[in-house]
Amino acid sequence: EIREYKIIIGNHPSCKKGLPISLGWEHAQNTIICNVDDYESFRSPIRCESVGEMKLRASQRKAILHDVSGYSRKYLDRMEEKRKLVTRK
């Protein structure tokens, strides 16, 4: 089964700048069922060469949270300020 999960604001402690992103717990109702070989032939062939390639800049994460998850820019700015206050302690 292939399930889609909502992208949400996360709480990863090693995210130093901006808001971390995470997958939500609930999945969408549109589950796709296929075998592994079909999936592997369907997905993009490009894989990351190193861990560094998987890291997203703060601006990229913020754009994902806004564009994909639908958070308002105002809400994201407020959450970023709250996170800064918490991490300073």
Side-chain angles (χ1 to χ4, degrees):
E1 293 182 3
I2 300 172
R3 294 180 175 174
E4 291 184 8
Y5 290 82
K6 186 172 182 173
I7 297 173
I8 61 171
I9 298 171
N11 61 355
H12 200 281
S14 65
C15 181
K16 302 294 183 204
K17 293 184 180 179
L19 296 169
I21 59 175
S22 186
L23 295 178
W25 284 101
E26 294 183 24
H27 62 85
Q29 296 299 320
N30 56 338
T31 301
I32 300 168
I33 299 175
C34 70
N35 68 40
V36 175
D37 293 328
D38 290 342
Y39 172 75
E40 288 295 324
S41 66
F42 174 73
R43 72 163 182 80
S44 174
I46 299 171
R47 296 276 180 149
C48 296
E49 297 288 328
S50 68
V51 174
E53 289 182 60
M54 292 189 285
K55 292 182 181 178
L56 297 171
R57 294 187 312 271
S59 60
Q60 291 172 305
R61 293 191 304 273
K62 193 171 189 176
I64 290 169
L65 289 167
H66 177 267
D67 300 342
V68 175
S69 297
Y71 291 104
S72 72
R73 297 232 184 253
K74 188 175 183 177
Y75 179 77
L76 293 172
D77 289 341
R78 279 198 325 262
M79 299 302 346
E80 215 167 345
E81 287 303 315
K82 279 186 177 182
R83 189 169 193 283
K84 284 179 188 176
L85 291 172
V86 170
T87 56
R88 284 187 192 147
K89 293 181 180 181

